Amino acid sequence: MTDSSTLNEDLLRRFQARIDAEQRIEPKDWMPEAYRRTLVRQISQHAHSEVIGMQPEGNWILRAPTLRRKAVLLAKVQDEGGHGLYLYSAAETLGVSREEMIEALQEGKAKYASIFNYPTLTWADIGAIGWLVDGAAIVNQISLQRTSYGPYARGMVRICKEESFHQRQGYELILALAQGSAEQKAMAQDALNRWWWPSLMMFGPHDAESAHSAQSMTWKIKRQSNDELRQKFVDQTVPQAEFAGLAVPDPLLRWNEARGHYDFGPIDWDEFNRVVSGNGMCNRDRLTHHRRAHDEGEWVREALRVHEERKRSRAAQDAA
């Protein structure tokens, strides 16, 4: 008779065989508990990042310099809210509720992208977020369209299309400033100086120091390593900075002909760890704002619950 350990080993082999054969895993399929937990952590962190990421840009909606810029920024912030919705919905297919995920975020148990704990000091920061932050995000998210979990992969298709627009919008804004007055160009350069290194940190620790990367690669949750994605971002972004007439704030940045890639200086991982652990410039403000907005929106959620209950009650009466 097959004991439980032998059965589990067989299930694991068959699961990995499906992964290796590039078959998508769907919500009702058998999966290892560790695979489910990894997805919940990654997808919920992604969702939290989209929602928290609305704050630094929302800070500038009322101060956008033109009606066109205001409309574009409003649309972008709305897109990010939608991305959070898609991702929370994808995570819910793994048996975790949205309430649990939000509670984990507000209690500091769940993380979001460290980049959103930096302040937006000038209008040029809105361009830098679109160009650099969304540029870094799209580099990572393109590969996630081929992630092994079906709902996550399908959600990323639309998200990638919209993030690509966000990146172009940000670069167009930075380019306009860089080609404007001396003061505007200086503003664009200052934004690049402040957002460059945090953008590189978005890809996470070096591969050898990443606690989850190896297993996520085996399960094809991730398709490329942190360092591969970071290098790809640097290679595509440096020429864009040069075209805009801006200088990347890295004295060690050099094109390496032998490697066919840019070499770049060391990242300040002490700063990264400090921000991730909750001690960045805006960590507390971001979560305080999220809690306040969540509490103020309780009446909307309650109204929706009552509406759904009435719909179910009417449907039951009609069926009877």
Coordinates of all heavy atoms in Angstrom, one line a residue, residues 24 39 42-47 49-50 79-80 82-91 134 136-166 220-223:
R24 N 0.5 25.6 -17.5 CA 0.1 26.5 -16.4 C -0.6 25.7 -15.3 O -1.4 24.8 -15.5 CB -0.9 27.5 -17.0 CG -0.3 28.5 -18.0 CD 0.1 29.8 -17.2 NE 0.9 30.7 -18.1 CZ 0.3 31.5 -18.9 NH1 -1.0 31.5 -19.1 NH2 1.1 32.3 -19.6
L39 N 3.4 32.1 -3.9 CA 2.5 33.0 -4.8 C 1.7 34.0 -4.0 O 1.6 35.2 -4.4 CB 1.6 32.1 -5.5 CG 2.2 31.3 -6.7 CD1 1.2 30.3 -7.2 CD2 2.5 32.3 -7.9
Q42 N 4.1 36.8 -3.1 CA 4.6 37.6 -4.2 C 3.4 38.4 -4.8 O 3.6 39.6 -5.1 CB 5.2 36.7 -5.3 CG 5.7 37.5 -6.5 CD 6.5 36.7 -7.5 OE1 7.3 35.8 -7.0 NE2 6.4 37.0 -8.7
I43 N 2.3 37.7 -5.0 CA 1.1 38.5 -5.7 C 0.6 39.5 -4.7 O 0.3 40.6 -5.2 CB 0.1 37.5 -6.1 CG1 0.6 36.4 -7.1 CG2 -1.1 38.2 -6.8 CD1 -0.4 35.3 -7.5
S44 N 0.4 39.2 -3.5 CA -0.1 40.2 -2.5 C 0.9 41.4 -2.4 O 0.5 42.6 -2.3 CB -0.4 39.6 -1.2 OG 0.8 39.2 -0.5
Q45 N 2.2 41.1 -2.4 CA 3.2 42.2 -2.3 C 3.1 43.1 -3.6 O 3.2 44.3 -3.5 CB 4.6 41.6 -2.2 CG 5.7 42.6 -2.2 CD 7.0 42.0 -1.9 OE1 7.2 41.2 -1.0 NE2 8.0 42.4 -2.7
H46 N 2.9 42.4 -4.7 CA 2.7 43.2 -6.0 C 1.4 44.0 -5.9 O 1.5 45.2 -6.3 CB 2.6 42.1 -7.1 CG 2.7 42.7 -8.5 ND1 3.0 42.0 -9.6 CD2 2.6 44.0 -8.9 CE1 3.0 42.7 -10.6 NE2 2.8 44.0 -10.3
A47 N 0.3 43.5 -5.4 CA -0.9 44.2 -5.3 C -0.7 45.4 -4.3 O -1.2 46.5 -4.6 CB -2.0 43.3 -4.8
S49 N 1.9 47.0 -3.6 CA 2.8 48.0 -4.3 C 2.0 48.9 -5.2 O 2.2 50.1 -5.3 CB 3.9 47.3 -5.0 OG 4.7 46.5 -4.1
E50 N 1.1 48.3 -5.9 CA 0.3 49.1 -6.9 C -0.6 50.1 -6.1 O -0.7 51.2 -6.5 CB -0.6 48.2 -7.7 CG 0.1 47.2 -8.7 CD 0.7 48.0 -9.9 OE1 0.4 49.2 -10.1 OE2 1.4 47.3 -10.7
D79 N -5.3 53.6 -13.2 CA -4.8 52.3 -13.7 C -4.1 51.5 -12.6 O -4.3 50.3 -12.5 CB -3.7 52.5 -14.8 CG -4.3 52.9 -16.1 OD1 -5.5 52.8 -16.3 OD2 -3.5 53.4 -17.0
E80 N -3.4 52.2 -11.7 CA -2.7 51.5 -10.7 C -3.7 50.9 -9.7 O -3.5 49.8 -9.2 CB -1.7 52.5 -10.0 CG -0.5 52.8 -10.9 CD 0.3 54.0 -10.4 OE1 -0.3 54.7 -9.6 OE2 1.4 54.2 -10.9
G82 N -6.6 49.8 -10.5 CA -7.1 48.6 -11.2 C -6.1 47.5 -11.2 O -6.5 46.3 -11.0
H83 N -4.8 47.8 -11.3 CA -3.8 46.7 -11.2 C -3.9 46.0 -9.8 O -3.8 44.8 -9.7 CB -2.4 47.3 -11.4 CG -2.2 47.9 -12.7 ND1 -1.1 48.6 -13.1 CD2 -3.0 47.9 -13.8 CE1 -1.2 49.0 -14.3 NE2 -2.3 48.6 -14.8
G84 N -4.0 46.8 -8.8 CA -4.2 46.2 -7.4 C -5.4 45.3 -7.4 O -5.3 44.2 -6.8
L85 N -6.5 45.7 -8.0 CA -7.7 44.9 -8.0 C -7.5 43.6 -8.7 O -7.8 42.5 -8.2 CB -8.8 45.7 -8.7 CG -10.1 44.9 -8.9 CD1 -10.7 44.5 -7.6 CD2 -11.1 45.8 -9.7
Y86 N -6.8 43.6 -9.9 CA -6.5 42.4 -10.6 C -5.7 41.4 -9.8 O -5.9 40.2 -9.7 CB -5.7 42.6 -11.9 CG -6.3 43.6 -12.9 CD1 -5.5 44.4 -13.7 CD2 -7.7 43.8 -13.0 CE1 -6.0 45.3 -14.6 CE2 -8.2 44.8 -13.9 CZ -7.4 45.5 -14.7 OH -7.9 46.4 -15.6
L87 N -4.7 42.0 -9.1 CA -3.7 41.2 -8.4 C -4.3 40.6 -7.1 O -4.1 39.5 -6.8 CB -2.5 42.0 -8.1 CG -1.7 42.3 -9.4 CD1 -0.7 43.5 -9.1 CD2 -0.9 41.1 -9.9
Y88 N -5.1 41.4 -6.4 CA -5.8 40.9 -5.2 C -6.7 39.7 -5.6 O -6.8 38.7 -4.9 CB -6.6 42.0 -4.5 CG -5.8 42.9 -3.6 CD1 -5.9 44.3 -3.8 CD2 -4.8 42.4 -2.7 CE1 -5.2 45.2 -3.0 CE2 -4.1 43.3 -1.9 CZ -4.3 44.7 -2.1 OH -3.5 45.5 -1.3
S89 N -7.4 39.9 -6.8 CA -8.3 38.9 -7.2 C -7.5 37.6 -7.6 O -8.0 36.5 -7.3 CB -9.1 39.4 -8.5 OG -9.9 40.5 -8.1
A90 N -6.4 37.8 -8.2 CA -5.5 36.6 -8.5 C -5.1 35.9 -7.2 O -5.1 34.6 -7.2 CB -4.3 37.0 -9.3
A91 N -4.7 36.6 -6.2 CA -4.3 36.0 -5.0 C -5.4 35.3 -4.3 O -5.2 34.3 -3.6 CB -3.7 37.1 -4.1
D134 N 8.3 52.8 -13.2 CA 7.5 51.9 -14.0 C 8.3 51.2 -15.1 O 8.0 50.1 -15.5 CB 6.4 52.7 -14.7 CG 5.4 53.3 -13.7 OD1 5.1 52.5 -12.7 OD2 4.9 54.4 -13.8
A136 N 11.4 50.0 -14.5 CA 11.9 48.8 -13.8 C 10.8 47.8 -13.6 O 11.0 46.6 -13.8 CB 12.4 49.3 -12.4
A137 N 9.6 48.3 -13.3 CA 8.5 47.3 -13.1 C 8.2 46.6 -14.4 O 7.9 45.3 -14.4 CB 7.2 48.1 -12.7
I138 N 8.1 47.2 -15.5 CA 7.8 46.6 -16.8 C 8.8 45.5 -17.2 O 8.5 44.5 -17.7 CB 7.5 47.6 -17.9 CG1 6.8 46.9 -19.1 CG2 8.8 48.2 -18.4 CD1 5.4 46.5 -18.8
V139 N 10.1 45.8 -16.9 CA 11.2 44.8 -17.1 C 10.9 43.5 -16.4 O 11.0 42.4 -16.9 CB 12.5 45.4 -16.7 CG1 13.6 44.3 -16.7 CG2 13.0 46.5 -17.7
N140 N 10.4 43.7 -15.1 CA 10.1 42.5 -14.3 C 8.8 41.8 -14.8 O 8.7 40.6 -14.9 CB 10.1 42.9 -12.9 CG 9.8 41.7 -12.0 OD1 10.4 40.7 -12.1 ND2 8.9 41.9 -11.0
Q141 N 7.8 42.7 -15.1 CA 6.5 42.2 -15.3 C 6.3 41.5 -16.7 O 5.5 40.6 -16.9 CB 5.5 43.3 -15.1 CG 5.4 43.7 -13.7 CD 4.6 45.0 -13.5 OE1 4.1 45.6 -14.4 NE2 4.5 45.5 -12.2
I142 N 7.1 41.9 -17.7 CA 7.1 41.2 -19.0 C 7.3 39.7 -18.8 O 6.6 38.9 -19.4 CB 8.1 41.8 -20.0 CG1 7.5 43.2 -20.4 CG2 8.3 40.9 -21.2 CD1 8.5 44.0 -21.3
S143 N 8.3 39.4 -18.0 CA 8.6 38.0 -17.8 C 7.5 37.3 -17.0 O 7.3 36.1 -17.1 CB 10.0 37.8 -17.1 OG 9.9 38.3 -15.8
L144 N 6.8 38.0 -16.1 CA 5.7 37.5 -15.4 C 4.5 37.1 -16.2 O 3.6 36.3 -15.7 CB 5.3 38.4 -14.3 CG 6.3 38.6 -13.1 CD1 5.8 39.7 -12.1 CD2 6.5 37.3 -12.4
Q145 N 4.4 37.6 -17.4 CA 3.3 37.1 -18.3 C 3.5 35.6 -18.6 O 2.5 35.0 -19.1 CB 3.4 37.9 -19.6 CG 3.0 39.3 -19.5 CD 3.1 40.1 -20.8 OE1 2.0 40.4 -21.4 NE2 4.3 40.4 -21.2
R146 N 4.7 35.0 -18.4 CA 4.9 33.6 -18.6 C 5.1 32.9 -17.3 O 5.6 31.8 -17.3 CB 6.2 33.4 -19.5 CG 6.0 34.0 -20.9 CD 7.2 33.7 -21.7 NE 8.5 34.3 -21.2 CZ 9.5 33.5 -20.8 NH1 9.4 32.2 -20.8 NH2 10.6 34.1 -20.3
T147 N 4.7 33.5 -16.2 CA 4.8 32.8 -14.9 C 3.9 31.6 -14.9 O 3.0 31.4 -15.6 CB 4.4 33.8 -13.7 OG1 4.8 33.2 -12.5 CG2 2.9 34.0 -13.7
S148 N 4.2 30.6 -14.0 CA 3.6 29.3 -14.1 C 2.2 29.3 -13.6 O 1.4 28.3 -13.8 CB 4.4 28.3 -13.3 OG 4.6 28.6 -12.0
Y149 N 1.8 30.3 -12.8 CA 0.4 30.3 -12.2 C -0.5 31.1 -13.1 O -0.3 32.2 -13.4 CB 0.4 30.9 -10.8 CG -0.9 30.7 -10.1 CD1 -1.5 29.4 -9.9 CD2 -1.6 31.8 -9.7 CE1 -2.7 29.3 -9.3 CE2 -2.9 31.7 -9.1 CZ -3.4 30.4 -8.9 OH -4.6 30.2 -8.3
G150 N -1.5 30.4 -13.7 CA -2.4 30.9 -14.7 C -3.0 32.3 -14.4 O -2.9 33.2 -15.2
P151 N -3.8 32.4 -13.3 CA -4.4 33.7 -13.0 C -3.4 34.9 -12.9 O -3.7 36.0 -13.3 CB -5.1 33.5 -11.6 CG -5.4 32.0 -11.6 CD -4.2 31.4 -12.3
Y152 N -2.2 34.6 -12.4 CA -1.2 35.7 -12.3 C -0.7 36.1 -13.7 O -0.6 37.2 -14.0 CB -0.1 35.2 -11.4 CG 0.9 36.2 -10.9 CD1 0.6 37.6 -10.9 CD2 2.1 35.8 -10.4 CE1 1.5 38.5 -10.4 CE2 3.1 36.8 -9.9 CZ 2.7 38.1 -10.0 OH 3.6 39.0 -9.5
A153 N -0.4 35.0 -14.5 CA 0.1 35.3 -15.8 C -0.9 36.1 -16.7 O -0.6 37.0 -17.4 CB 0.5 34.0 -16.5
R154 N -2.2 35.7 -16.6 CA -3.2 36.3 -17.4 C -3.4 37.8 -16.9 O -3.6 38.7 -17.8 CB -4.5 35.5 -17.4 CG -4.4 34.2 -18.2 CD -5.7 33.5 -18.3 NE -6.2 33.0 -17.0 CZ -5.9 31.7 -16.5 NH1 -5.1 31.0 -17.2 NH2 -6.3 31.3 -15.4
G155 N -3.4 38.0 -15.6 CA -3.5 39.3 -15.1 C -2.4 40.3 -15.6 O -2.6 41.5 -15.8
M156 N -1.2 39.7 -15.7 CA -0.1 40.5 -16.1 C -0.1 41.0 -17.6 O 0.5 42.0 -17.9 CB 1.2 39.7 -15.9 CG 1.6 39.4 -14.5 SD 1.5 40.9 -13.4 CE 2.5 42.0 -14.3
V157 N -0.9 40.4 -18.4 CA -1.0 40.8 -19.8 C -1.5 42.2 -19.9 O -0.9 43.1 -20.5 CB -1.9 39.8 -20.6 CG1 -2.1 40.3 -22.0 CG2 -1.2 38.4 -20.7
R158 N -2.7 42.5 -19.3 CA -3.2 43.8 -19.3 C -2.4 44.8 -18.5 O -2.2 45.9 -19.0 CB -4.6 43.8 -18.8 CG -5.3 45.2 -18.8 CD -6.7 45.2 -18.5 NE -7.3 46.5 -18.5 CZ -8.6 46.8 -18.5 NH1 -9.5 45.8 -18.5 NH2 -9.0 48.0 -18.5
I159 N -1.9 44.4 -17.4 CA -1.0 45.2 -16.6 C 0.2 45.7 -17.3 O 0.6 46.9 -17.3 CB -0.6 44.5 -15.3 CG1 -1.9 44.4 -14.4 CG2 0.5 45.3 -14.5 CD1 -1.6 43.6 -13.1
C160 N 0.8 44.8 -18.1 CA 2.0 45.2 -18.8 C 1.7 46.2 -19.9 O 2.5 47.1 -20.2 CB 2.6 43.9 -19.5 SG 3.6 42.9 -18.3
K161 N 0.6 46.0 -20.6 CA 0.2 47.0 -21.6 C 0.0 48.4 -21.0 O 0.5 49.4 -21.6 CB -1.1 46.6 -22.3 CG -1.0 45.3 -23.1 CD -2.4 45.0 -23.7 CE -2.3 43.7 -24.6 NZ -3.6 43.3 -25.1
E162 N -0.6 48.5 -19.8 CA -0.8 49.8 -19.2 C 0.5 50.3 -18.6 O 0.8 51.5 -18.7 CB -1.9 49.7 -18.2 CG -3.2 49.4 -18.8 CD -4.4 49.2 -17.8 OE1 -4.1 49.0 -16.6 OE2 -5.5 49.1 -18.2
E163 N 1.3 49.5 -18.0 CA 2.6 49.9 -17.5 C 3.5 50.4 -18.6 O 4.3 51.4 -18.4 CB 3.3 48.8 -16.7 CG 2.6 48.4 -15.4 CD 2.8 49.4 -14.3 OE1 3.3 50.5 -14.6 OE2 2.4 49.1 -13.2
S164 N 3.5 49.8 -19.8 CA 4.3 50.3 -20.9 C 3.9 51.8 -21.3 O 4.7 52.6 -21.5 CB 4.1 49.4 -22.1 OG 4.6 48.1 -21.9
F165 N 2.6 52.1 -21.2 CA 2.1 53.4 -21.4 C 2.6 54.3 -20.3 O 3.1 55.5 -20.6 CB 0.6 53.5 -21.5 CG 0.0 54.9 -21.4 CD1 0.0 55.7 -22.5 CD2 -0.5 55.3 -20.1 CE1 -0.5 57.0 -22.4 CE2 -1.0 56.6 -20.0 CZ -1.0 57.4 -21.1
H166 N 2.6 53.9 -19.1 CA 3.1 54.7 -18.0 C 4.6 55.0 -18.1 O 5.0 56.2 -17.9 CB 2.9 54.0 -16.6 CG 1.5 53.6 -16.3 ND1 1.1 52.8 -15.3 CD2 0.3 54.1 -16.9 CE1 -0.2 52.7 -15.3 NE2 -0.7 53.5 -16.2
K220 N 9.2 28.2 -11.8 CA 8.9 29.2 -12.9 C 7.9 30.2 -12.6 O 7.2 30.7 -13.4 CB 8.5 28.4 -14.2 CG 9.7 27.5 -14.7 CD 9.4 26.9 -16.0 CE 10.5 26.0 -16.5 NZ 10.3 25.3 -17.8
I221 N 7.8 30.5 -11.3 CA 7.1 31.7 -10.8 C 7.8 32.9 -11.3 O 7.2 33.8 -11.9 CB 6.9 31.7 -9.3 CG1 6.1 30.5 -8.8 CG2 6.3 33.0 -8.8 CD1 6.0 30.4 -7.3
K222 N 9.2 32.9 -11.2 CA 10.0 33.9 -11.8 C 10.7 33.2 -13.0 O 11.1 32.1 -12.9 CB 11.1 34.3 -10.8 CG 10.6 35.2 -9.6 CD 11.7 35.6 -8.7 CE 12.7 36.5 -9.4 NZ 13.7 37.1 -8.4
R223 N 10.9 34.0 -14.0 CA 11.6 33.5 -15.2 C 13.0 34.0 -15.4 O 13.8 33.4 -16.1 CB 10.8 34.0 -16.4 CG 9.4 33.3 -16.6 CD 9.6 31.8 -16.9 NE 8.4 31.1 -17.1 CZ 8.2 30.1 -17.9 NH1 9.3 29.6 -18.6 NH2 7.1 29.5 -18.0

